[in-house]
Amino acid sequence: MRQKPLANLRVLDLTRLLPGPLATQHLADYGAEVIKVEDTGAGDYARTMGAMNGDTSFFYQVCNRGKKSVRLDLKQAEGRELFLRLVDTADVVVEGFRPGVMDKLGLGYDALAARKPQIVVCSISGYGQTGPYALRAGHDINYIGYAGVLDQIGTAGGAPAMSNLQIGDLLGGTMTALFGLLAAVLDARASGQGRHVDVAMTDAALAHAIFPLAEVLAHGGVKPRGEDLLTGGVPCYGVYETADGRHMAVGSLEEKFWHLVCDTLGRPDLKPAHLATGAAGARARAELAAIFRSRTQAEWTVIFDGIDCCVTPILRLEESLENPQLRARGMVTEVEGVRQFGPPVRLSGFEPGPFTPAPQAGADSDAVLTALGLDDAAIARLRASGVI
């Protein structure tokens, strides 16, 4: 059998909470060896955030499977030396501290690259390693606010709407970091020289705001929230309430799909309103809204399941976990009794899993340090002095 795609990649993960840990979990899912390096105090405080499942949170468990964990005090010289010895064996270091923290520890990119030129260091931060905001605190809502993304989310006349899918954290801090560090690893293996990968979540959110940018280029500014092509400004693309207070997603942007929708609803007279805006668009949207409120979501789902026109139910997540399409794609898995999302990319000749659960803090310290050449006495001494 072929090796897992990332079987020869060793990653040291210094990150906490969501963006970095999920990025390194993706790497582990595809075969990378990920060693989670936590401090000797609280460690990754995602462990105790939100609903608990035993002694760790569900949040921590679904972002850290497949990893090993060691606990090192990087503020002590011996802890830093152990980390440097781990760097000697690694391909990638991923960190999510504020800019400058790694340098203060003596573990910044320049120091690591001087010791191992091939090392790739990926730094994930809100605003990047440079610029006037570099040292500011922030969260997803702040990053997408600066990027002009939050302004575009919501309904006409309403305030910006907050998404429970963290666009900046996940598009920026998780997926962009994966792209950047894997590009740097490929280059390092070809050239022998690593890189510092500087990932700013704000940058990544901005770089993907394609439709708002097109509006700015064409008209000098974005359309008001709720009035653009993809935010409810036209009848053929929007959210419509059903009789039971649920909703249907109508995404019939192409004319052929819109015509099918109109025929299915028995309203061929609405076909000319496909991309109507202004008063004509508002009238057509109101007509459509009244029609969808006449049946339940389940009834509309049965009707449109057999018609290929981009009209689908808006599911709650607990329903998504039972959806036959998502289950057929392996997007729902179970790790020691905890339902989790499967890896999102399918590769030929590779079947994801089996998955090991998220590690207890320091669960692999002895094994990892023994592999570095430390004997039992040395490990006991380091533990007694609080280095590990």
Side-chain angles (χ1 to χ4, degrees):
M1 292 181 63
R2 292 174 65 179
Q3 285 188 316
K4 291 184 177 182
L6 298 180
N8 295 314
L9 188 72
R10 194 178 215 207
V11 180
L12 304 181
D13 178 11
L14 290 165
T15 64
R16 301 169 178 173
L17 296 176
L18 176 62
L22 188 57
T24 56
Q25 177 173 283
H26 285 316
L27 294 173
D29 283 347
Y30 292 93
E33 180 186 15
V34 178
I35 300 175
K36 190 174 179 71
V37 181
E38 302 182 68
D39 61 62
T40 53
D44 185 348
Y45 27 87
R47 293 176 182 277
T48 56
M49 290 184 68
M52 300 293 288
N53 180 35
D55 58 358
T56 53
S57 69
F58 284 109
F59 171 32
Y60 172 78
Q61 290 173 356
V62 301
C63 293
N64 288 281
R65 67 173 177 242
K67 304 177 186 179
K68 300 174 181 177
S69 172
V70 302
R71 300 176 73 188
L72 299 178
D73 184 355
L74 297 180
K75 294 180 181 179
Q76 295 195 48
E78 284 187 295
R80 291 192 294 274
E81 179 55 32
L82 287 173
F83 181 77
L84 289 171
R85 290 176 67 177
L86 284 173
V87 169
D88 290 339
T89 72
D91 302 287
V92 181
V93 175
V94 186
E95 61 94 4
F97 301 118
R98 288 205 203 189
V101 169
M102 291 290 283
D103 286 322
K104 289 179 182 177
L105 291 170
L107 301 173
Y109 173 69
D110 289 342
L112 299 187
R115 183 178 180 109
K116 183 175 183 178
Q118 300 92 339
I119 197 70
V120 170
V121 177
C122 179
S123 298
I124 304 170
S125 64
Y127 304 109
Q129 302 297 300
T130 59
Y133 299 171
L135 296 179
R136 291 188 182 182
H139 283 292
D140 185 85
I141 193 172
N142 310 115
Y143 311 145
I144 65 174
Y146 272 124
V149 172
L150 183 56
D151 171 73
Q152 290 286 287
I153 303 173
T155 57
M162 295 180 288
S163 169
N164 200 23
L165 187 147
Q166 297 95 315
I167 298 170
D169 285 355
L170 299 173
L171 173 65
T174 295
M175 302 311 291
T176 302
L178 287 173
F179 157 67
L181 72 86
L182 288 173
V185 167
L186 283 173
D187 179 46
R189 290 184 173 178
S191 68
Q193 183 66 46
R195 293 181 187 271
H196 187 194
V197 181
D198 176 3
V199 175
M201 291 180 264
T202 305
D203 292 356
L206 176 70
H208 291 86
I210 302 301
F211 272 67
L213 176 61
E215 282 295 314
V216 170
L217 295 176
H219 306 294
V222 295
K223 289 184 178 179
R225 187 169 42 258
E227 297 182 18
D228 203 354
L229 177 68
L230 301 183
T231 62
V234 294
C236 71
Y237 198 91
V239 172
Y240 291 94
E241 186 179 12
T242 58
D244 53 348
R246 302 294 300 275
H247 294 85
M248 298 294 288
V250 176
S252 307
L253 282 172
E254 293 87 345
E255 186 179 64
K256 63 180 181 180
F257 294 144
W258 173 247
H259 285 183
L260 275 173
V261 171
C262 295
D263 289 337
T264 302
L265 299 177
R267 291 297 303 272
D269 58 301
L270 292 176
K271 289 180 180 180
H274 176 212
L275 296 174
T277 58
R283 283 194 298 271
R285 290 197 304 276
E287 292 274 0
L288 220 61
I291 295 169
F292 275 105
R293 280 195 296 267
S294 69
R295 297 176 188 260
T296 66
Q297 184 192 67
E299 291 172 324
W300 284 122
T301 299
V302 170
I303 290 170
F304 281 102
D305 260 354
I307 300 169
D308 191 23
C309 62
C310 309
V311 178
T312 56
I314 295 178
L315 302 182
R316 300 186 180 109
L317 183 61
E318 61 267 28
E319 297 169 325
S320 301
L321 294 176
E322 302 301 328
N323 180 263
Q325 171 64 24
L326 293 171
R327 294 191 73 87
R329 293 283 297 171
M331 284 310 302
V332 182
T333 189
E334 192 168 295
V335 181
E336 289 200 345
V338 178
R339 280 189 298 175
Q340 302 187 16
F341 299 131
V345 178
R346 308 295 292 182
L347 299 175
S348 63
F350 169 66
E351 188 62 34
F355 303 109
T356 58
Q360 297 295 313
D364 304 284
S365 292
D366 287 19
V368 170
L369 297 179
T370 297
L372 287 181
L374 280 72
D375 59 22
D376 290 346
I379 292 172
R381 180 186 64 78
L382 291 168
R383 182 165 284 118
S385 62
V387 174
I388 65 172

